[in-house]
Amino acid sequence: MLRPLFTPLAAAAHLGLLTCLAALVASGAAAQGTPAAAQGTGAAAQATGAAAQAAGAATQGTGAATATAKRPRVGLALAGGGARGGAHIGVLKVLEELHVPVDCIAGTSMGALVGGGYASGLSASEIERFIRAVDWKSAVGGVGSRPLQPAEQKRFDDASGSLEFGLKGGKIVTPGGLIASSRIEDVLRTYVAKARSVSDFDKLPIPYRAVATDMLSGKMVVLDHGDIATAMRASMAIPGAFPPVITDQYVLSDGYIVRNLPIDVVRDTCADIVIAVNLVKPTVTRQQLITGASLVWRSTDITMEENERLQLQTLTARDVRIDVDSGDIGSSDFERTAETIPQGEKAARAVAARLAALSVSQDEYLAWRRRVTVSQHIEIRIADVRFEGLKYVNPQYLRNVTNVRAGDTVDIAAISRDAARLAALDDLQGVEYQLSGDPNNPELVWRPTEKQYGPDYLRLGGGLYAAGGGVLLFELDGQYVRRWLNVYGGQWRNELEIGTTSLAASSLYQPLNVSQTFFVEPAVAASRSLEYVYNDYERVAQYFFNDLIGHVDLGANLGNSGQLRAAYWADRRKTEIDTGVPQLPTGESTDAGLAATGFYDTRDAASFATRGTAAAVQYFWSADALGATRDWQRLELAVREALRFSKTSLWLTAAGGSDLGSTLPADRAFSLGGPQSFPGYAPGEIRARRYWTVTGDFLWRVADILPIANQTLYGGLGLQGARAYDRVDPVSNGALYGVSGYLGGRTPIGTLAIGVGKATGDWAAWLTLGTPVGTGSILNQPLFR
């Protein structure tokens, strides 16, 4: 599996597959499969808990009692369809207007979500408010979780590869899904907070069934008891996109594979008459079937349509079929979910006469409505907070991450905020909780799920920079990390990099307390980097810097936003010219001394941030008294503020460096050039012992690539101004100006940008992909992408 990643053709195919799966993440139930050979009964994660929610449960009667002997029992079958499933809310609104009581509900995927809320006691208008309030980019795409990540996690992840695997028994293990499910799980728990205390779905205000697929047997599993939030999540777990819900008996994924429209399930539950809500798929044209991805998606649609066709054939003359046409709204357009609600209303009104035949008197309907209406709001006093089910993550560390404590009176929103903090951690792939014990003073029991493929991880990544004049820089990077070596969360980190810079490095990141506020990190590395050297904007030489480096860092994490490090460091460097005219001194030298670094990061994304602040500072002091053969100092700092205005953003960046009056060697001079520091120049084109630069970038949104994951293509226009003092090449000090235009953003294959820049004395056209390549100034670090 590793070898194809390092060949261009196979890499393209691999990334194409990831793109396809990423689209499927957002597709809800866009691909629904073949009918099941048999039905099973089961429950996902059968945690009963939530004793504090029993007050609501006490008002929840048996749904079967709501159907009087004078009328037939009415069951709702709600189809899956991703974003198009919002149409079910419109159907429910019409049923309420017509006074049609519902006696049982069965749903798949998005149908399970809408149906689960209605069965729990929410009205159609309450479900609509919930759907409109959901931040789908956060719930499904994980957008917005970055500010909750610990500072060291941000720093390490930004510089690491984006593809993560596990290592088990010497074998590479892939994740169960491309997207962690914690955020959507928390949304579901908040949605049906009180109903989670009812473990028997027949005892919900309206009896309920969610349909999932057992990936072990390939059969349908009808979820009729357990935690209703987990049941809904299982019904929505698209294979390959979201991790499955694993129980002792089943490995549960999205129910679309076996039953996208569960007419037979709702009939078996209670229904004398079925109201089947079918989400009609758009007609496919030949022009749409020209790519491999489109054919894959179409093949899954075909199996889903066949599955639905067989179910629709079982409808009788007494049943009511509602076909909802969602127009151009696709199953992945979650931010347009609310737009489908009127479409559901329209489709239901088209068969209003048949629905009206199922209505009851106003008094009878209001009595039914009172019986089945249950608020999902909870406000309770927490007796204790516990963590269960952990193998290697220290529960005391997780306790420090969360804010809810024993004795606090909280609502679900407060618990949800803690769930989001836990979900942001690299070590966890899921976060569940239950309220158990005394209903008036329950325990909050957290059941986080550690990554099943950890704690040994392999990360792969890379970067590319190509420009005119034959400049091509690239890096392929692999990292092996062993986490949780001890109760404080020690990590053994190893890195191997090949390309423009070849690197082998190893370090031990060791927190000194449970909260991981303080840490020490000794490290060793050997590297060989390619450096281009310019004279008056003309490339004249190519050098190699060969370094043997060791350092010991002592640091502190300042909340989630900042980190400070102080270190003793030593670097034995050999500088050698490869081709061209000598411009830098060659030979061996040893630099050693003290260093201090720090960063502050509140960005909303690791690249192409639209809001937040990034700031970094570096200070190095090399001294004879500390083992060096050269005395010098070097101080550099930079700050960027990202501001968002509707569909546009503004980046304001300032940076500067100084030798503090010392004799800074030419090979340690500051280096400007490249898309991040000065786009009109190539990397390393300006080398100086002192500099300052200011930049303003205006970005506007050009197109959404994958909206649910906040992957957007931006157009950018940048203006640069700088001054370089005591340059390495014999060019007098003077002001430097530049202008640049580019197109770029976060994509399924990494951060991509293509552009052109014109600067004083030169110009450059360039393309970048992945992580930043090369060293250069402080602006070339991932913090300023």
Side-chain angles (χ1 to χ4, degrees), residues 106-170:
T108 298
S109 200
M110 194 67 167
L113 184 150
V114 174
Y118 205 65
S120 297
L122 298 175
S123 66
S125 60
E126 288 173 318
I127 298 174
E128 180 177 7
R129 284 196 296 272
F130 165 79
I131 289 293
R132 290 184 182 277
V134 170
D135 183 346
W136 291 104
K137 287 184 177 180
S138 173
V140 179
V143 175
S145 63
R146 194 171 191 280
L148 302 176
Q149 295 174 354
E152 174 61 16
Q153 180 177 318
K154 290 180 186 176
R155 186 197 71 84
F156 185 73
D157 286 355
D158 288 355
S160 301
S162 57
L163 295 177
E164 183 179 83
F165 306 92
L167 293 175
K168 293 282 190 182

Side-chain angles (χ1 to χ4, degrees), residues 16-33:
L17 176 60
L18 289 179
T19 304
C20 175
L21 287 177
L24 287 175
V25 170
S27 68
Q32 269 78 353

Side-chain angles (χ1 to χ4, degrees), residues 324-685:
V324 183
D325 185 353
S326 299
D328 66 341
I329 299 177
S331 57
S332 63
D333 298 328
F334 278 98
E335 292 191 298
R336 301 182 65 188
T337 299
E339 296 179 36
T340 67
I341 297 175
Q343 296 168 342
E345 291 186 57
K346 179 181 177 181
R349 295 190 197 284
V351 293
R354 298 204 59 200
L355 293 174
L358 304 175
S359 65
V360 297
S361 68
Q362 181 174 351
D363 289 344
E364 185 178 351
Y365 184 79
L366 291 177
W368 173 83
R369 185 72 259 177
R370 284 192 294 270
R371 285 197 299 271
V372 300
T373 297
V374 178
S375 169
Q376 298 302 304
H377 177 73
I378 292 177
E379 188 166 338
I380 46 175
R381 184 179 184 276
I382 301 297
D384 194 13
V385 179
R386 293 188 288 112
F387 288 84
E388 294 182 350
L390 296 168
K391 295 180 180 179
Y392 53 86
V393 177
N394 188 346
Q396 192 58 43
Y397 168 68
L398 300 183
R399 188 181 299 273
N400 286 321
V401 170
T402 57
N403 289 337
V404 175
R405 298 288 183 266
D408 292 348
T409 299
V410 299
D411 58 10
I412 288 299
I415 300 175
S416 179
R417 287 191 290 270
D418 272 357
R421 295 183 182 96
L422 293 172
L425 301 178
D426 262 350
D427 298 299
L428 304 179
Q429 73 176 26
V431 180
E432 297 182 4
Y433 66 84
Q434 287 286 347
L435 297 166
S436 64
D438 183 354
N440 298 315
N441 197 21
E443 290 184 317
L444 172 59
V445 182
W446 292 102
R447 297 189 178 94
T449 303
E450 296 162 327
K451 288 183 176 177
Q452 300 301 306
Y453 55 95
D456 295 87
Y457 300 92
L458 177 66
R459 285 188 169 185
L460 302 176
L464 171 72
Y465 170 88
V471 177
L472 177 63
L473 309 176
F474 76 95
E475 291 173 1
L476 294 174
D477 183 75
Q479 294 181 334
Y480 162 73
V481 181
R482 172 62 188 263
R483 297 182 189 153
W484 289 98
L485 296 171
N486 46 54
V487 294
Y488 286 166
Q491 297 184 24
W492 182 32
R493 300 167 172 175
N494 301 273
E495 182 175 8
L496 183 63
E497 184 178 289
I498 59 174
T500 303
T501 297
S502 297
L503 170 74
S506 183
S507 70
L508 176 64
Y509 175 78
Q510 180 58 60
L512 301 177
N513 57 346
V514 172
S515 64
Q516 300 189 6
T517 302
F518 302 102
F519 63 88
V520 61
E521 184 171 16
V524 294
S527 71
R528 179 180 174 86
S529 62
L530 172 67
E531 300 284 338
Y532 293 127
V533 180
Y534 292 77
N535 187 340
D536 196 14
Y537 312 113
E538 294 290 335
R539 193 169 70 187
V540 296
Q542 179 173 299
Y543 277 74
F544 286 109
F545 291 174
N546 301 284
D547 295 271
L548 292 175
I549 307 167
H551 59 89
V552 179
D553 294 5
L554 183 64
N557 292 308
L558 309 178
N560 290 339
S561 301
Q563 185 185 93
L564 294 174
R565 289 179 178 237
Y568 171 80
W569 65 283
D571 180 357
R572 184 176 179 181
R573 168 169 287 182
K574 181 179 180 181
T575 304
E576 58 185 42
I577 187 170
D578 181 44
T579 61
V581 180
Q583 189 81 12
L584 304 178
T586 58
E588 292 189 7
S589 59
T590 299
D591 298 310
L594 302 179
T597 63
F599 73 85
Y600 177 76
D601 185 358
T602 62
R603 297 172 298 161
D604 61 349
S607 63
F608 279 88
T610 59
R611 60 161 58 108
T613 302
V617 60
Q618 292 180 339
Y619 170 74
F620 292 94
W621 174 36
S622 178
D624 290 344
L626 296 173
T629 59
R630 304 187 293 186
D631 284 297
W632 53 268
Q633 295 184 72
R634 189 179 193 267
L635 174 66
E636 188 174 19
L637 56 88
V639 61
R640 170 178 289 170
E641 185 72 22
L643 306 170
R644 184 167 68 184
F645 308 95
S646 184
K647 294 184 178 181
T648 62
S649 298
L650 179 66
W651 292 349
L652 300 175
T653 309
S658 173
D659 59 5
L660 300 177
S662 66
T663 305
L664 187 63
D667 61 293
R668 296 291 182 179
F670 300 104
S671 173
L672 294 177
Q676 292 171 248
S677 63
F678 215 118
Y681 298 122
E685 189 164 346

